[in-house]
Amino acid sequence: MFSVPSQFRLALIPLSVLLAYGSTAYAQQTQEEADKTKQKQAVPAKPASTPANAPAGQTTAPVAAPAGAVQKVQISGAKGYDERRQDTASKIVVTQEDIVRYGDTNIGDVLKRLPGVTIGGVQGRGGAIRMRGLGAGYTQIMLNGEPSPPGFSLDSLAPDNIERIEVIRAATAELSTQSIAGAINIVLKKAIVTAQRELKFGFSEENGKPGVNASLQLSDKIGKMSYSISGNLNHGEFGRPDSSTEVFTDNKGLVTLSRKSNTESEGKFQSIGISPRINWMLENGDMLTSQSFVNANRFTNRNQQSTATLIGEKPLFLDENSNNRSDSTSIRTNLSYVKKLADSAKLDIRFGANYNQREGDNNSNAKGVSQTLIRTYSSENTDNGFTYGGKYTAPFVEDHALAAGWDGGYSKRSDSNTRRDVITGTGPITAFNADEEYSANVNRLALFVQDEWNYTKNLSIYAGVRWEGIDTSSKGNTYAEIKNRSSVLSPILQTLYKIPGSKNDQVRLGITRTYKAPDTGRLVPRRFLSTNNSATSPDNMGNPNLKPELAWGLDAGFEHYLTDGGILSVNFFLRRIEDFTRTSIVNDGRWVAMPTNDGLATTRGVEFDAKFPLRSLMEDAPAIDFRANLAFNSSTVNSVPGPNNRLDSQTPVSANFGVDYKLDDVPLTLGGNLSFQNAGPVRISVNQSSYGIPKRVLDVYALWKFDNKSNVRVALGNALHQDNFSSSTYTDASGSLVRTNTSKTNVALRVNFEHKF
C-alpha cells in the first residue's frame, strides 16, 4: 500500500479545502450557465457569415431571414496556421498548453517529454539537453531564434513566459547551423490580444525538502501600445545522497585496490526574475518591440564525503567537507524593428545586449592519513556582449518567399580565481596556492540567403545557404595567448511533397550541412584539478587546437494527419561527422582529460511519433488524448575499435507514452507520461569505456478547474524514483580501473494554484 508522507499530507490539507470550494463553485457555475442558456434560447440569434477570401477576424453584414423562418447561427473564423504541417522546414511545435500541463518550474522537465529529446544526468536533477541522443554542443538551444548567450541558463526562464517550443529537426539558413543533431527554439510570448492578469503560486516537496514558487503576469493594450510584464520567485531545498566505488583488477585477475565513498549533499537555491515587454505599433504600420530579462540567483550547498579503503593503498584524502556559495545575475535586453516596404517587402532589424555576472566561494576541509588540508577558493566571472541581426524579405516573384540577412554577435568573458591552501601535519599533500586570471573574446558573423518556392500545389522547395565565421581569442596569466578561427559554408535543401489524392499524407526530404564549433571553455588550456586524481577521476583542461566538427546530413519523413488534429509520423536521419571530437586521457605526472579531434563518425536513427484523441477512432469514446514517441539512434566512431564504439553519451533508445483524460461530468483532467531512456556500454577510446543503466521516469498530474479563472494543478514527478547507476573504466597493460556511481532519486510533489483576474 502506498503511504503518503507527512509533508504530502500537510500540502493536501489546503488542497482539500480548495477542491471543496471548487465543487461548490462548479455546481453554481453549471446552474448559472443553464439559466443563461434558457435565456438565450428565448432571444432570436443574429446570423453572421464570413466569405472564404475575407481577412481573418472580419465578417460580412448580417443577412435578414425570411419572415417566420427559424434563424440559424453560423460561426466561422480563420483557422490557425499549423507550422508543423505547412512549413517546408521540418519541425515540431509544442504549444503553451502542453508546456504548463505538468506544472513544471523549469524548462528541462518540459523538454524531456518531447519526441526525440532526452535529458542527460540523474533523473530530477537536470542535465544536458539532447536531440537524436546527442548533447554536448550537437544540439543548438535558441531563444527567439538566436543562440542563447554565454552564461545564460534556461532555468532562469519560467515556463509561463513561453509561447511555444520549436523542435527543429533539419537546419535552415536563417537560424544558426551549429545544430548537427537539431535545434530547440524557445519562443517567448509576443502577441497581446486582451488584457490579462494571472497569478500562480505553488508548493513542492522532494525527499523531505520543501520548495515554493510564485509568478505574476500582467498585460494590456493602450492605444497602439501593448505591454506585458511578468515576474517569478522560486525557493527550493534539496538533499542528495550518492555513493561510488573504485576497484582495480590487475592483468592476472587479482583485485589489488577497492575503495568506497559516500557523499551527502544538502543545499538551497533561490531565484527572482522579471521580464517586461513592450510592443509599439507606429502610424505607418511599422512595429517596434522591446523585451528584457532580469534574473538573480543564489545557490548554497554543503557536501560531506568519506572514503573507506577495503583493499590496497589509501587515497590522498580520506574525508572531505565543503561549503559552497554561488550568486549570479543576468540581464538581457532586445530591441527589434519591423519596417514595411513597398510591394509587400519587409525589413526586420534587431539588436540585443546581455550581462551575466557570477561569483562564488568554496571552503573545504580534507583529511589525509597524517595531514589536513584547509582550502579556500573564490571566483568571479562575467560574460558580457551584444548581438545584432536583420532580414530583408521580398516577394518579388510569385510563389516565392525570398529572404536575405545577417546575424552576428560579440561576447567577452573575464574570469579570476584565487586559491589558498593551509596544511597541517607531514606527508605527501602539498599546498597549491594560485591567483589565476583570464579573458576570452568571441566574434561571430553570419550571412544567409534563402528562398521558399511553392513549385506546385503539392510540392514546395526550400533552398538556402549560410556562411558563418567564429573568431576566438584568449589570454591568461597561466598560459600564452591563443587564437582560434573557423568558418563554415552551409548549403541547405528541404522539400515538402503532399501526396496527390490525399489531403492528409505528405513526405519530407532534406539535405543539410551543419557543424559544431568548440566552445570557449574547451579551447582555453586551463587546468582544473581533481581531488583524488586517477584515470577515472582525472584533471580537466582545454585544447586550443580544436577544429570544428563538420557534418553532412540527410533527413526524410512521412506524416499522416488525422481529422481531429492527430498525427502519425516517422522520420529518418543520417549524419556523417568529420573531425569528430572525443575526450582523451593522458598521464603527465597526473591524469588529465582533454578534448581532441579524432577522425570520422557516423550517426543514424529513426523516430516514430503519434498524437491523437481516442474519439478520432471511436465516436462515443471518453475524452482521452494519446501521445507516444519512440526513437532509435546508433553511431560509429571509426578511430575507436568496436564493439560499442558509438558517440559518447548518445542515447540509443528513448520513448515516451502519455495520456490525458478530461472527464465529462466534472471539471477534472487527469494525465501521465512515462519516459524511457536506454544507455548501455560505450567504447570511448582504446583504453576508456563507460556504462549506464536504462532510466524510467513517470510523471502524473491532476487539474481541477473551479471556473474559467481559477484552477489547481497537482503533479507527482519521478514517481518511480529509480536509482541512477553509471560506471567508467580505464584499461591498459597493467589491468583495469572501474569507477561506479550510484545516485538515489526521489518523488517530487508539486501543487500549483492558478487564478486569472
Side-chain angles (χ1 to χ4, degrees):
M1 179 71 69
F2 176 74
S3 177
V4 180
S6 59
Q7 296 85 354
F8 285 29
R9 298 192 193 105
L10 292 175
L12 294 176
I13 291 174
L15 175 61
S16 61
V17 176
L18 290 172
L19 290 176
Y21 160 73
S23 301
T24 305
Y26 176 68
Q28 294 175 348
Q29 180 192 14
T30 304
Q31 183 61 46
E32 290 174 359
E33 291 176 349
D35 295 340
K36 290 179 181 178
T37 302
K38 292 179 180 179
Q39 295 174 2
K40 290 180 180 179
Q41 290 175 348
V43 180
K46 295 182 179 180
S49 61
T50 304
N53 59 350
Q58 293 186 3
T59 59
T60 58
V63 180
V70 178
Q71 293 183 330
K72 181 180 179 181
V73 178
Q74 181 180 2
I75 301 174
S76 61
K79 188 177 181 180
Y81 181 77
D82 189 340
E83 289 184 76
R84 176 172 185 175
R85 185 170 186 172
Q86 303 297 337
D87 281 6
T88 307
S90 177
K91 70 172 67 171
I92 296 173
V93 180
V94 184
T95 64
Q96 222 273 333
E97 179 184 1
D98 294 326
I99 293 171
V100 301
R101 176 171 286 130
Y102 287 84
D104 299 314
T105 57
N106 65 81
I107 305 301
D109 287 337
V110 177
L111 295 176
K112 71 184 181 184
R113 305 184 193 101
L114 304 185
V117 179
T118 55
I119 305 296
V122 180
Q123 305 93 301
R125 300 189 188 180
I129 301 170
R130 302 170 179 168
M131 288 182 63
R132 276 77 185 265
L134 297 175
Y138 291 106
T139 299
Q140 173 81 280
I141 306 297
M142 295 183 292
L143 189 63
N144 287 337
E146 296 184 49
S148 55
F152 182 79
S153 172
L154 288 179
D155 291 338
S156 63
L157 289 177
D160 295 328
N161 294 334
I162 300 173
E163 180 178 299
R164 67 183 187 275
I165 298 175
E166 300 173 346
V167 181
I168 304 171
R169 291 190 171 109
T172 62
E174 181 179 351
L175 304 178
S176 175
T177 51
Q178 291 193 62
S179 52
I180 291 178
I184 297 174
N185 183 29
I186 297 173
V187 181
L188 302 177
K189 289 183 177 179
K190 297 179 180 179
I192 300 172
V193 180
T194 59
Q196 182 178 348
R197 309 286 188 273
E198 185 173 15
L199 174 66
K200 297 183 179 182
F201 64 88
F203 166 83
S204 63
E205 190 277 345
E206 181 178 353
N207 194 28
K209 303 294 183 180
V212 293
N213 64 84
S215 67
L216 175 66
Q217 183 167 338
L218 308 173
S219 59
D220 205 347
K221 298 180 72 175
I222 304 174
K224 292 184 176 297
M225 185 195 76
S226 60
Y227 70 88
S228 174
I229 183 169
S230 61
N232 60 83
L233 293 167
N234 285 281
H235 169 85
E237 301 180 14
F238 63 88
R240 297 170 178 171
D242 299 311
S243 63
S244 64
T245 64
E246 200 168 32
V247 177
F248 181 80
T249 306
D250 65 18
N251 53 15
K252 297 179 182 179
L254 299 176
V255 176
T256 60
L257 178 67
S258 178
R259 297 170 181 161
K260 183 176 181 179
S261 299
N262 292 304
T263 303
E264 292 285 340
S265 179
E266 294 186 343
K268 300 178 181 180
F269 58 88
Q270 298 94 22
S271 67
I272 181 172
I274 185 170
S275 304
R277 179 184 178 88
I278 298 175
N279 299 331
W280 195 292
M281 180 69 74
L282 305 181
E283 294 295 335
N284 58 358
D286 297 349
M287 175 70 76
L288 185 65
T289 302
S290 171
Q291 186 164 33
S292 301
F293 309 91
V294 180
N295 293 280
N297 303 273
R298 164 162 287 191
F299 176 86
T300 58
N301 79 307
R302 176 178 59 85
N303 292 319
Q304 292 182 312
Q305 179 178 336
S306 60
T307 302
T309 301
L310 308 178
I311 300 174
E313 183 181 359
K314 293 183 178 180
L316 199 60
F317 299 100
L318 304 178
D319 301 287
E320 182 179 7
N321 299 321
S322 65
N323 292 284
N324 308 283
R325 177 194 62 86
S326 176
D327 295 332
S328 63
T329 303
S330 62
I331 302 173
R332 177 171 179 169
T333 184
N334 291 83
L335 186 66
S336 63
Y337 176 64
V338 179
K339 173 68 176 177
K340 293 185 177 180
L341 304 174
D343 300 324
S344 299
K346 185 174 66 173
L347 178 64
D348 295 72
I349 300 175
R350 56 179 170 78
F351 178 83
N354 60 83
Y355 167 84
N356 296 279
Q357 188 268 346
R358 182 189 301 271
E359 62 178 18
D361 53 62
N362 172 279
N363 298 307
S364 61
N365 186 313
K367 296 180 179 180
V369 176
S370 59
Q371 292 176 282
T372 299
L373 168 67
I374 300 175
R375 171 173 291 171
T376 58
Y377 179 87
S378 61
S379 65
E380 181 176 359
N381 61 69
T382 58
D383 269 303
N384 304 325
F386 59 86
T387 61
Y388 55 91
K391 182 176 72 169
Y392 175 69
T393 306
F396 291 143
V397 183
E398 187 177 358
D399 295 327
H400 285 261
L402 181 66
W406 66 97
D407 177 23
Y410 168 81
S411 65
K412 179 179 180 62
R413 178 184 176 93
S414 299
D415 201 335
S416 62
N417 305 283
T418 301
R419 179 168 46 220
R420 294 291 181 266
D421 291 349
V422 176
I423 298 175
T424 59
T426 58
I429 302 175
T430 59
F432 187 82
N433 298 316
D435 293 285
E436 297 180 326
E437 293 184 357
Y438 93 98
S439 62
N441 300 320
V442 180
N443 272 296
R444 178 179 59 85
L445 175 63
L447 305 172
F448 68 88
V449 61
Q450 62 184 23
D451 182 33
E452 188 165 352
W453 181 19
N454 294 324
Y455 181 71
T456 66
K457 181 180 178 180
N458 296 326
L459 177 63
S460 60
I461 301 172
Y462 171 91
V465 62
R466 180 184 180 96
W467 176 89
E468 187 161 352
I470 299 178
D471 189 353
T472 303
S473 63
S474 177
K475 58 182 179 180
N477 61 354
T478 60
Y479 59 90
E481 183 176 5
I482 65 167
K483 292 185 178 182
N484 187 291
R485 176 175 295 179
S486 61
S487 62
V488 177
L489 184 68
S490 301
I492 298 168
L493 177 68
Q494 297 194 51
T495 62
L496 171 62
Y497 181 64
K498 299 181 179 180
I499 299 175
S502 173
K503 296 181 179 180
N504 301 320
D505 297 330
Q506 56 190 36
V507 178
R508 297 181 181 274
L509 182 66
I511 300 174
T512 58
R513 177 67 160 173
T514 53
Y515 76 106
K516 172 191 170 187
D519 61 67
T520 306
R522 306 194 85 188
L523 292 172
V524 176
R526 296 176 60 203
R527 190 157 184 160
F528 295 89
L529 303 180
S530 61
T531 303
N532 284 318
N533 185 262
S534 69
T536 56
S537 181
D539 300 341
N540 286 276
M541 66 182 301
N543 179 2
N545 298 316
L546 275 183
K547 296 183 291 184
E549 301 179 43
L550 306 176
W552 282 104
L554 176 67
D555 292 85
F558 170 78
E559 299 168 354
H560 174 73
Y561 290 87
L562 304 176
T563 54
D564 292 337
I567 182 175
L568 304 174
S569 71
V570 57
N571 292 271
F572 304 88
F573 77 91
L574 174 67
R575 298 290 187 271
R576 185 179 185 274
I577 306 172
E578 304 168 7
D579 290 323
F580 159 72
T581 302
R582 69 171 179 86
T583 301
S584 61
I585 295 179
V586 297
N587 192 324
D588 60 0
R590 288 177 60 92
W591 293 98
V592 58
M594 177 187 298
T596 56
N597 294 110
D598 196 9
L600 184 70
T602 305
T603 179
R604 63 202 70 82
V606 58
E607 300 171 4
F608 302 92
D609 182 24
K611 182 179 180 182
F612 58 91
L614 183 60
R615 285 176 177 173
S616 65
L617 304 177
M618 303 167 54
E619 185 175 349
D620 298 328
I624 298 178
D625 292 334
F626 289 98
R627 60 188 182 279
N629 54 78
L630 174 65
F632 296 94
N633 309 301
S634 64
S635 56
T636 303
V637 178
N638 290 9
S639 60
V640 177
N644 304 314
N645 54 332
R646 53 191 175 91
L647 291 170
D648 188 12
S649 300
Q650 184 180 35
T651 305
V653 181
S654 65
N656 281 279
F657 178 75
V659 177
D660 300 301
Y661 176 31
K662 187 174 183 179
L663 281 72
D664 294 327
D665 299 330
V666 293
L668 177 65
T669 302
L670 304 173
N673 188 90
L674 176 64
S675 66
F676 170 81
Q677 294 182 37
N678 198 10
V682 180
R683 186 80 179 268
I684 302 172
S685 68
V686 174
N687 304 103
Q688 302 164 254
S689 61
S690 65
Y691 175 81
I693 65 170
K695 295 190 295 186
R696 302 169 182 85
V697 179
L698 174 64
D699 300 327
V700 296
Y701 77 95
L703 173 66
W704 179 278
K705 286 192 173 184
F706 300 120
D707 49 41
N708 291 332
K709 295 184 178 181
S710 303
N711 62 69
V712 65
R713 192 185 308 267
V714 181
L716 289 178
N718 191 31
L720 302 178
H721 56 92
Q722 172 195 0
D723 291 349
N724 186 274
F725 175 87
S726 63
S727 69
S728 59
T729 303
Y730 185 89
T731 304
D732 58 19
S734 62
S736 62
L737 179 65
V738 180
R739 182 182 183 87
T740 66
N741 295 279
T742 304
S743 300
K744 292 185 177 297
T745 69
N746 302 281
V747 180
L749 168 70
R750 293 187 291 269
V751 180
N752 293 310
F753 178 74
E754 306 165 6
H755 178 68
K756 296 178 181 179
F757 55 93

